[in-house]
Amino acid sequence: MDFGEKDTEVKFECTFDLSTSLGLSAVQKSQKEVYMSCINGLQQLFPSEVGTLEVVVVSASDLARRNNSLFNASPYVVIAVNDFRPVTTKICRRTPTPAWDERLIVPITSRTRVIVFTIMDRKKVGQDSVMGTSMVSLDEVTSDKEKKLPLEVQGGGTLNVRLYLRMHGKPKEAIEEDDKLVKQISIPFLTPVFKEELDAIKEEFANLVIGFMGSGQKYELRPPARIKSHPDLAMEELPAECAPLPTAEMFSPKKFGLIMEKTMNLLQSQAGLTVRQMEGKGTWNLWKAYLGRYMPVNERLIKEWQTDEEFCRQYLQGTNPIMLTVCKDKSQIPAEMLELKAQGKTTLKLMEENRLFIVDFTTMLAAPKTPGKCFYAPIVLMYKEELPGKESRLNILGIQLTRDKTTNEVYSPETAKTHPNKYMFAKMHVMVADSNVHEFLTHLGFTHLTMEPIAVSLHANLPPDHPIHRLLLPHFKDTIGINYLARHTLVSRIFPLIEHLYAASMAGAFRMIINEYSNYSFMDMAFPEELKRRGFDESGSDGLQDYFYRDDGFKLWNIYKTYVNGVVDKIYVNDQAVASDQALQRFCQMIEGPGQLHGFPREISTKRLLIDCLTNIIFTVSAQHSAVNLPQYDYYSFVPNRPPTLSQWMPDGPNDMLESTILDALPSPSLTALQIVLMYLLSIPSDIPLMELAAIRYLYPDVYDEFIKEISCLSEEIKARNNQLEAEGKVPYPYLDPDNVSISINA
């Protein structure tokens, strides 16, 4: 049976073959709940347009004067439906009885429940103010029949409107054949293999239920399966994942409660969103309006995000502080960027003086282009700007977006003097690339995915009373569970939330991860080695000031190493004792073998190697993950600062681009809301910060006490520095304060 171009049928079906009826009703009930969640997810993620509503805004009467003004208002009406941009009427100047008689068309989707009318007063000076609001439920409107409504305005007065609802044709009778599960779908990651992926999820769910009714404590590894809709992605080359999910790894009621609390804060904060959008002042208010009430607002960032200084500062103290590299090789620099100058010095002269830095997004070349998404693999040059009083800061030298043209355009501070909008748009495109690399490589790939095989092997091979088990156990709290949740939401095989939100899309994200993981080595990614590879060290020979990720990270790394050294000395008298620990060797063999963690030693035969491995593990799951996870809301919540995607390429031609083109290129209101939601939930503070770690408190109390003493001193030192920074009008860096560092990857 033929379907229309906009029609989709999704049929859910599942059969359980259980040898006993024990728990069957519970399985069926839970199964129904899962399917209903899938259906609701479809409706929320992909609301289809089901009709249009013709609105004639006729007139208003008896509108109240605002703030006891002696003058009549200049009213206009804003109509808001769903996530679409509000539409507005013309302005009726200085009248208490405006007559607009204006016809507007708004789309109706499967989610539409109410239409909100907001009457605004246009002012000459200052921002517009709200005169009153009114709402209409779609239940009051009959399709293909005009309805006249006098609406009572909250705030005083009456608004007269006429509504005419036109519904699109309904889908034809449902098809029955299983092989025609999805007849017509325009979403690129949903194909006829949808049923196969759903069957895989069904099997996972069945295993989870059966495990819950049994012991539920089995820990096993399996290579990630290829995605049916993207069979070319060699998913099996990535670190192995835990399967099935042990019931012990399900979130605790406390964790669920914290998530629900944050969710309610989010929902309550969105009350009055339309009013905030209308009342706000300035070009970027549409995005600021999503914040407020229970949602923190980074006012400083919103004020300064367009400056070069803030752009560069985020590469030292922001969400992705591992991209900046000391530039020491001319071959790294594109030919078009060699003639750039700053403070009277050429690019090469700055390099000779050890003042040149580079950020190269070559990894973005692996992501395929997707219709409607525009992104580059930029190269950014920055330099150490020398200031009076022996002070310095990082600043922009130039940006090159393209790599495939005969002559690639370079955007620099000089560009801003004649083409300010193009210059700003170039910086925004850099942030698109940085956002995708951050989320998929720095965050997901190099913390979440690489640490999961270690968590599984810990449970599978080290007995609970083994000292190494007791040392590491708190550092893997909720890690397997949060990864399982991510695989079924953010990077789900059926409805990946990242698909529309990020420029790289699902296929591009994993192609980037697979490419980069082929060169990954666990030992080479240790904090000191990773910084050394980029030209940074503990002594600060690079000369950069305020690189707090480097400074705080080294201090915390050294404390961890002393702590781990003390524990290992307590457990093993010599190297032979380490080599003869069979449980420890099985732990390593599973991680390096079935776990597919590149660069992890297959066997550990010395205390020194064991100390290095354990320090790297603990630092990665706590400090490193906190450094790239905790700042997310601070920098991503104001979407223009770090857009996940843009819908416009940099325009060619000699003229500057329009500011309106930049605004149109930013994510839609629905994607803006989705980014804020995700970052708000992902940045949930840990329920157990590092200061409350109690792993070996009673096993080795002297080692534990010294560790707590050292991290307490570090916490006080960081707090004192941050207080001083704030007093100087600068930005604090709290993310590696032991009071904030999470003990595990749990968000």
Side-chain angles (χ1 to χ4, degrees), residues 539-595:
S539 67
S541 62
D542 50 87
L544 280 182
Q545 296 179 356
D546 299 339
Y547 193 6
F548 300 128
Y549 167 76
R550 173 200 60 198
D551 301 340
D552 297 351
F554 270 114
K555 291 172 183 176
L556 197 49
W557 174 273
N558 292 335
I559 292 173
Y560 276 146
K561 193 157 190 177
T562 301
Y563 167 63
V564 171
N565 195 95
V567 172
V568 170
D569 280 346
K570 293 282 187 180
I571 303 171
Y572 304 102
V573 295
N574 52 36
D575 292 344
Q576 179 60 38
V578 174
S580 61
D581 187 338
Q582 295 304 305
L584 177 64
Q585 303 311 320
R586 289 193 298 271
F587 169 73
C588 298
Q589 290 161 11
M590 185 178 194
I591 296 170
E592 188 271 342

Side-chain angles (χ1 to χ4, degrees), residues 728-745:
E728 296 172 358
K730 297 181 179 180
V731 184
Y733 186 78
Y735 309 115
L736 290 180
D737 181 343
D739 254 343
N740 298 323
V741 170
S742 172
I743 62 169
S744 65
I745 298 173

Side-chain angles (χ1 to χ4, degrees), residues 114-117 133-137 140 151-152 154:
V114 297
I115 301 94
V116 180
F117 297 86
T133 60
S134 188
M135 292 188 295
V136 176
S137 170
E140 302 178 33
L151 303 177
E152 181 180 347
Q154 294 181 5

Side-chain angles (χ1 to χ4, degrees), residues 288 291 296-314 317-318 631 633-638 641 725-726 728-735:
K288 180 182 177 181
L291 312 175
V297 182
N298 192 336
E299 295 284 2
R300 184 209 58 80
L301 177 71
I302 294 173
K303 180 181 178 182
E304 299 178 3
W305 72 277
Q306 297 179 65
T307 67
D308 290 353
E309 293 77 12
E310 175 59 24
F311 175 90
C312 294
R313 188 193 65 80
Q314 292 185 33
Q317 305 168 20
Y633 181 81
D634 290 345
Y635 293 99
Y636 280 101
S637 59
F638 184 64
N641 178 61
L725 288 169
E726 289 186 300
E728 296 172 358
K730 297 181 179 180
V731 184
Y733 186 78
Y735 309 115

Side-chain angles (χ1 to χ4, degrees), residues 298-590:
N298 192 336
E299 295 284 2
R300 184 209 58 80
L301 177 71
I302 294 173
K303 180 181 178 182
E304 299 178 3
W305 72 277
Q306 297 179 65
T307 67
D308 290 353
E309 293 77 12
E310 175 59 24
F311 175 90
C312 294
R313 188 193 65 80
Q314 292 185 33
Y315 281 92
L316 300 176
Q317 305 168 20
T319 59
N320 198 18
I322 72 167
M323 293 299 295
L324 192 72
T325 300
V326 179
C327 187
K328 297 181 178 180
D329 189 344
K330 180 182 176 181
S331 65
Q332 296 177 277
I333 307 170
E336 293 88 346
M337 305 185 83
L338 289 173
E339 300 305 316
L340 292 170
K341 288 186 177 181
Q343 294 192 310
K345 305 291 178 69
T346 64
T347 300
L348 293 181
K349 187 63 177 177
L350 289 168
M351 185 177 71
E352 290 175 11
E353 295 180 358
N354 202 37
R355 294 171 58 192
L356 188 66
F357 302 86
I358 188 169
V359 179
D360 190 336
F361 292 99
T362 302
T363 51
M364 287 295 290
L365 294 173
K369 295 295 187 286
T370 305
K373 296 181 179 180
C374 304
F375 62 91
Y376 299 95
I379 297 173
V380 185
L381 289 182
M382 305 182 202
Y383 71 100
K384 185 178 73 173
E385 181 185 12
E386 295 178 344
L387 303 173
K390 295 185 179 181
E391 294 292 310
S392 66
R393 65 185 177 192
L394 198 62
N395 212 335
I396 296 180
L397 186 62
I399 296 169
Q400 180 178 303
L401 298 179
T402 58
R403 299 173 186 239
D404 54 355
K405 295 183 177 181
T406 305
T407 302
N408 294 290
E409 188 77 23
V410 175
Y411 305 90
S412 71
E414 288 297 311
T415 308
K417 297 176 182 178
T418 56
H419 296 71
N421 290 333
K422 278 191 173 181
Y423 182 60
M424 179 171 65
F425 200 49
K427 291 193 290 183
M428 292 172 75
H429 263 296
V430 171
M431 285 305 189
V432 168
D434 195 65
S435 298
N436 283 257
V437 170
H438 165 253
E439 290 297 356
F440 302 135
L441 294 179
T442 309
H443 188 188
L444 176 63
F446 295 157
T447 61
H448 283 260
L449 299 187
T450 57
M451 292 297 104
E452 187 166 350
I454 301 175
V456 174
S457 188
L458 172 70
H459 290 282
N461 294 294
L462 291 174
D465 60 348
H466 194 293
I468 301 298
H469 184 112
R470 296 176 67 174
L471 172 70
L472 292 180
L473 183 63
H475 294 294
F476 289 100
K477 182 180 184 296
D478 291 337
T479 299
I480 295 174
I482 199 70
N483 284 2
Y484 182 87
L485 180 62
R487 289 190 186 100
H488 292 79
T489 53
L490 297 175
V491 290
S492 164
R493 292 166 176 269
I494 298 180
F495 305 122
L497 295 180
I498 68 169
E499 180 68 22
H500 294 294
L501 182 59
Y502 283 92
S505 72
M506 177 77 159
F510 277 108
R511 188 164 280 113
M512 289 164 57
I513 297 173
I514 292 167
N515 284 2
E516 291 302 307
Y517 188 63
S518 65
N519 300 313
Y520 173 93
S521 171
F522 171 77
M523 299 305 290
D524 288 346
M525 283 299 289
F527 179 80
E529 294 301 314
E530 194 279 322
L531 265 79
K532 180 180 178 181
R533 189 165 55 252
R534 294 189 290 115
F536 299 99
D537 55 38
E538 189 172 1
S539 67
S541 62
D542 50 87
L544 280 182
Q545 296 179 356
D546 299 339
Y547 193 6
F548 300 128
Y549 167 76
R550 173 200 60 198
D551 301 340
D552 297 351
F554 270 114
K555 291 172 183 176
L556 197 49
W557 174 273
N558 292 335
I559 292 173
Y560 276 146
K561 193 157 190 177
T562 301
Y563 167 63
V564 171
N565 195 95
V567 172
V568 170
D569 280 346
K570 293 282 187 180
I571 303 171
Y572 304 102
V573 295
N574 52 36
D575 292 344
Q576 179 60 38
V578 174
S580 61
D581 187 338
Q582 295 304 305
L584 177 64
Q585 303 311 320
R586 289 193 298 271
F587 169 73
C588 298
Q589 290 161 11
M590 185 178 194

Side-chain angles (χ1 to χ4, degrees), residues 52-76:
T52 58
L53 183 67
E54 181 180 292
V55 182
V56 178
V57 183
V58 182
S59 62
S61 58
D62 302 323
L63 296 177
R65 288 181 174 175
R66 308 303 296 168
N67 302 322
N68 299 315
S69 173
L70 297 176
F71 302 99
N72 290 321
S74 296
Y76 64 98

Side-chain angles (χ1 to χ4, degrees), residues 189-354:
F189 58 88
L190 287 179
T191 68
V193 299
F194 177 89
K195 184 176 184 295
E196 296 180 49
E197 297 289 14
L198 196 61
D199 285 344
I201 292 176
K202 173 199 70 177
E203 183 178 352
E204 285 188 33
F205 176 70
N207 289 333
L208 183 61
V209 172
I210 293 170
F212 187 77
M213 293 188 292
S215 63
Q217 300 301 311
K218 193 174 184 181
Y219 287 84
E220 293 181 334
L221 284 168
R222 71 176 182 195
R226 293 208 175 194
I227 303 171
K228 303 296 183 182
S229 55
H230 299 289
D232 59 312
L233 293 176
M235 300 292 290
E236 68 276 6
E237 296 179 5
L238 293 176
E241 59 192 39
C242 184
L245 177 70
T247 54
E249 300 299 330
M250 297 173 67
F251 290 157
S252 67
K254 180 180 179 181
K255 182 82 172 181
F256 273 118
L258 184 58
I259 293 173
M260 288 305 300
E261 178 185 348
K262 299 284 281 188
T263 302
M264 291 306 299
N265 286 347
L266 178 72
L267 293 175
Q268 292 180 42
S269 294
Q270 296 315 296
L273 170 63
T274 303
V275 173
R276 291 200 299 273
Q277 288 177 333
M278 293 303 104
E279 285 187 325
K281 181 182 179 182
T283 303
W284 307 101
N285 178 69
L286 177 65
W287 289 271
K288 180 182 177 181
Y290 284 92
L291 312 175
R293 297 195 69 178
Y294 296 98
M295 304 285 287
V297 182
N298 192 336
E299 295 284 2
R300 184 209 58 80
L301 177 71
I302 294 173
K303 180 181 178 182
E304 299 178 3
W305 72 277
Q306 297 179 65
T307 67
D308 290 353
E309 293 77 12
E310 175 59 24
F311 175 90
C312 294
R313 188 193 65 80
Q314 292 185 33
Y315 281 92
L316 300 176
Q317 305 168 20
T319 59
N320 198 18
I322 72 167
M323 293 299 295
L324 192 72
T325 300
V326 179
C327 187
K328 297 181 178 180
D329 189 344
K330 180 182 176 181
S331 65
Q332 296 177 277
I333 307 170
E336 293 88 346
M337 305 185 83
L338 289 173
E339 300 305 316
L340 292 170
K341 288 186 177 181
Q343 294 192 310
K345 305 291 178 69
T346 64
T347 300
L348 293 181
K349 187 63 177 177
L350 289 168
M351 185 177 71
E352 290 175 11
E353 295 180 358
N354 202 37

